[in-house]
Amino acid sequence: MRSSRTARTGNEESWEDDEPGAAGCPCGSEEFEAAVAFSLGTDGAVRWVTVGLRCAKDGFCEVYADWKIDYGPTDHPLTMV
């Protein structure tokens, strides 16, 4: 899978400027199961968001994107997934 690890602030302006890459598994499949993980600070605020993909054909897994959240409040990413 081509990984596009992207450090972003997580805000919409940053997303508009980003150029997401295409996901593809080494086996040739482009069908994936997705997972989202949140890393929380000691105050409970979201600090990092990570997106992982698993190939539906052969099970190959990799982090596709992750970005740092450096603004507040940060409860909205938890309600978006």
Side-chain angles (χ1 to χ4, degrees):
M1 177 184 315
R2 293 180 293 259
S3 177
S4 176
R5 293 181 67 99
T6 305
R8 296 186 285 199
T9 60
N11 62 35
E12 289 184 25
E13 293 83 21
S14 180
W15 176 253
E16 290 173 2
D17 295 337
D18 203 359
E19 295 181 26
C25 182
C27 77
S29 177
E30 294 181 352
E31 188 174 328
F32 300 95
E33 298 168 340
V36 177
F38 299 98
S39 295
L40 306 179
T42 56
D43 60 355
V46 177
R47 296 296 175 222
W48 284 89
V49 178
T50 303
V51 177
L53 298 179
R54 179 183 178 274
C55 177
K57 184 175 179 181
D58 69 2
F60 184 82
C61 297
E62 188 160 340
V63 170
Y64 181 69
D66 63 337
W67 58 95
K68 183 177 182 178
I69 306 292
D70 59 1
Y71 61 90
T74 63
D75 57 339
H76 67 281
L78 294 172
T79 64
M80 296 175 68
V81 295

